[in-house]
Amino acid sequence: MVEKFHLELDMMKEHTLEMGFLSRTMLKIAVRALKNRDLECAAWVLNRREDLTRWDDSIEEEALRLMALYQPMASDLRTIACTLKMITYLTRIGIYGRDIVVGLNKVSEMPPVPGLFSIPRMTEIVTSMVEAGLKAYATDSISPIESIGKRDDEVDALFFSTFQECIAAMTGDPEKIPICTNYILVARYLERCGDHACKMAEKVHYMVTGERITIE
Amino acid sequence: MEKRPSIITTKNLNLWYAEKQALADITMDVERNRVTALIGPSGCGKSTLIRVFNRMNDLIDTCRVEGSVLIDGEDIYSPSADVVTIRKRVGMVFQKPNPFPKSIYDNVAYGPRIHGITEKKELDRIVEESLHNAALWNEVKDRLHDPATGLSGGQQQRLCIARCLAVEPEIILMDEPCSALDPIATAKIENLIDILKRSYTVVIVTHNMQQAARVSDFTGFMYLGKLIEFGETTQIFENPREELTANYVTGRFG
């Protein structure tokens, strides 16, 4: 019975990782769509929304079923608790990817502002943070998430500078207001994704060590 | 959890059955008015340990105890300790309900009578109060003089708890009290344990980890006669410090 339980627990983790990579990819592709004005990429992201919800529901179901049938304890219990929180954060991250492309549809006819300020760099860091959380979760080790707080500080600083630069650009040229407003929103979404990645890392830290931490 | 004074303290407790060592170097504190659970695989010494607390092991000729066991600061293994008094202070409930082949009333009145209470009014009061406290009164009040063996298993077990309460113990030892009961009878006993701890200290041995997690404040995990880990129940089940404990509570044992 116990063997079967651990097999099922591993399956649940596999599913969560798949969901995690889907969320991460949605975010990544959304920013690529924004950068290249690529509506095909945008459509791909929009179409993944349902997959995300399906994962969210089915993993929650798996987790509840495992709790009901096996009354897990210690690290097994912490894994399930962590998973239940993770899928919420991952859903949010994926939905921010969708929000980015929803905004893109509205501004795709407008002349782009070259460079997108710090948005590509923010995306790189945020996706690396999500990946670190997933790696830590997959390997039961906290080393991948050790520097996550520092990386989040970097994301916050980039959000602030993007905000400032967008304000400056809009002040200089009112025609840029719609697109820069959109960039501010995108930067804000990415900053929120960074926060979700940190919350995820906190939960994984608890899962691995049994000790609760707060990432400032 | 706020610290309460200990009622049982063992120091370097060792116990042998002839040549075989069953308990090794057990040092632990049981806090007053708390439920303490002992868990561990079969043969780990958990039943032996609770039997030490009311000297039930005295009945086994080959049994030898070293180290100290203090109840309220008094060494219960000192030559001057009186076993009858100890067993009055430390009651016990066993795995299978074992009512005497007497009436419900006589089962509960048995202990008080032995301790010299003969007045009917006083006995009536003790019987009613004990049955109330064991959450059995409403089910048996109209048939107190029926044979106890006619009760269901769960009722018999609560009767045994009432019988134990009738002599006003301070500590109640329970050795697998629910393992012969169905889930509903089990839930009744678990609720009862929760109420009993207001007035008594409960030490329970159980194979059912979920039960230990549900009813106890503290849990000790034993393995091969040693107390491997002792701590607050939430810590033991959520975040055990010892690998052996973690392996046991997650079922990865062996």
Side-chain angles (χ1 to χ4, degrees), chain B residues 24-230:
Chain B
D25 216 25
I26 299 213
T27 296
M28 69 184 269
D29 278 317
V30 174
E31 286 187 17
R32 191 182 284 280
N33 294 112
R34 298 273 195 210
V35 179
T36 299
L38 296 172
I39 60 168
S42 300
C44 71
K46 53 193 189 302
S47 293
T48 299
L49 180 58
I50 68 163
R51 279 151 194 268
V52 164
F53 298 152
N54 69 347
R55 289 187 49 175
M56 286 283 287
N57 294 315
D58 289 14
L59 305 171
I60 301 163
D61 289 339
T62 58
C63 177
R64 185 160 59 85
V65 177
E66 272 177 17
S68 68
V69 181
L70 309 180
I71 291 186
D72 270 336
E74 282 172 49
D75 189 344
I76 59 165
Y77 280 88
S78 85
S80 60
D82 171 26
V83 184
V84 176
T85 315
I86 292 166
R87 297 207 184 122
K88 182 178 179 300
R89 290 171 69 189
V90 187
M92 192 154 185
V93 177
F94 298 87
Q95 184 167 352
K96 275 176 80 179
N98 53 356
F100 301 132
K102 294 169 174 284
S103 72
I104 294 167
Y105 184 100
D106 287 340
N107 262 274
V108 184
Y110 191 86
R113 278 179 181 142
I114 280 191
H115 290 286
I117 298 170
T118 49
E119 199 196 328
K120 188 174 177 303
K121 241 173 102 184
E122 176 66 356
L123 283 174
D124 285 352
R125 185 194 63 78
I126 293 173
V127 169
E128 180 173 346
E129 196 177 287
S130 305
L131 287 169
H132 259 301
N133 292 340
L136 189 59
W137 175 251
N138 288 336
E139 292 162 56
V140 299
K141 61 174 191 272
D142 300 323
R143 47 174 171 146
L144 289 175
H145 297 286
D146 288 4
T149 44
L151 296 172
S152 74
Q155 288 171 329
Q156 287 187 16
Q157 194 62 308
R158 277 177 284 145
L159 178 66
C160 293
I161 293 174
R163 189 176 65 190
C164 165
L165 299 180
V167 294
E168 298 181 325
E170 291 167 58
I171 300 167
I172 303 169
L173 308 174
M174 296 187 173
D175 193 353
E176 296 271 2
C178 301
S179 60
L181 306 182
D182 70 32
I184 292 169
T186 298
K188 281 188 185 157
I189 302 275
E190 288 181 5
N191 286 336
L192 180 57
I193 291 173
D194 219 39
I195 295 165
L196 289 176
K197 78 170 178 189
R198 293 177 203 157
S199 325
Y200 308 90
T201 303
V202 178
V203 184
I204 177 170
V205 162
T206 174
H207 266 120
N208 180 334
M209 274 188 287
Q210 281 71 36
Q211 177 168 73
R214 281 193 298 267
V215 302
S216 70
D217 303 302
F218 291 90
T219 296
F221 167 64
M222 295 183 66
Y223 184 59
L224 299 177
K226 295 196 179 97
L227 184 65
I228 304 294
E229 188 168 354
F230 186 86

Side-chain angles (χ1 to χ4, degrees), chain A residues 33-207:
Chain A
L34 179 72
K35 194 170 159 191
N36 302 335
R37 301 294 174 106
D38 185 337
L39 295 181
E40 228 173 280
C41 279
W44 183 89
V45 174
L46 285 176
N47 289 334
R48 296 288 81 71
R49 173 68 175 95
E50 265 178 45
D51 299 343
L52 204 61
T53 312
R54 254 199 304 275
W55 275 128
D56 188 19
D57 291 345
S58 68
I59 294 168
E60 181 186 303
E61 222 168 273
E62 272 182 276
L64 294 179
R65 201 179 58 84
L66 288 178
M67 285 205 274
L69 293 185
Y70 298 99
Q71 295 97 39
M73 296 287 189
S75 62
D76 298 339
L77 180 63
R78 300 200 303 268
T79 299
I80 292 179
C82 172
T83 302
L84 281 169
K85 298 290 275 187
M86 289 249 303
I87 56 175
T88 303
Y89 298 132
L90 291 170
T91 303
R92 291 307 311 161
I93 291 169
I95 289 177
Y96 278 127
R98 186 209 53 180
D99 291 346
I100 290 171
V101 300
V102 167
L104 168 66
N105 287 337
K106 289 185 194 135
V107 296
S108 62
E109 301 307 319
M110 299 173 194
V113 176
L116 277 74
F117 307 101
S118 299
I119 288 172
R121 177 71 192 132
M122 282 180 85
T123 312
E124 246 171 68
I125 303 173
V126 168
T127 51
S128 83
M129 287 165 74
V130 176
E131 283 162 8
L134 294 173
K135 190 171 176 199
Y137 175 78
T139 57
D140 284 310
S141 131
I142 55 164
S143 60
I145 51 174
E146 263 161 7
S147 66
I148 208 155
K150 230 177 253 168
R151 280 187 266 178
D152 194 47
D153 291 344
E154 219 179 312
V155 172
D156 290 348
L158 288 171
F159 167 64
F160 191 67
S161 69
T162 303
F163 184 76
Q164 299 278 351
E165 287 164 31
C166 281
I167 297 286
M170 291 190 282
T171 318
D173 177 2
E175 286 221 330
K176 285 183 181 153
I177 289 177
I179 193 128
C180 283
T181 309
N182 181 244
Y183 287 165
I184 289 177
L185 280 176
V186 170
R188 172 72 177 151
Y189 296 158
L190 289 167
E191 185 265 327
R192 289 299 301 145
C193 288
D195 292 346
H196 286 310
C198 286
K199 294 305 287 179
M200 216 161 81
E202 288 174 4
K203 299 301 166 194
V204 175
H205 189 280
Y206 177 66
M207 175 187 95

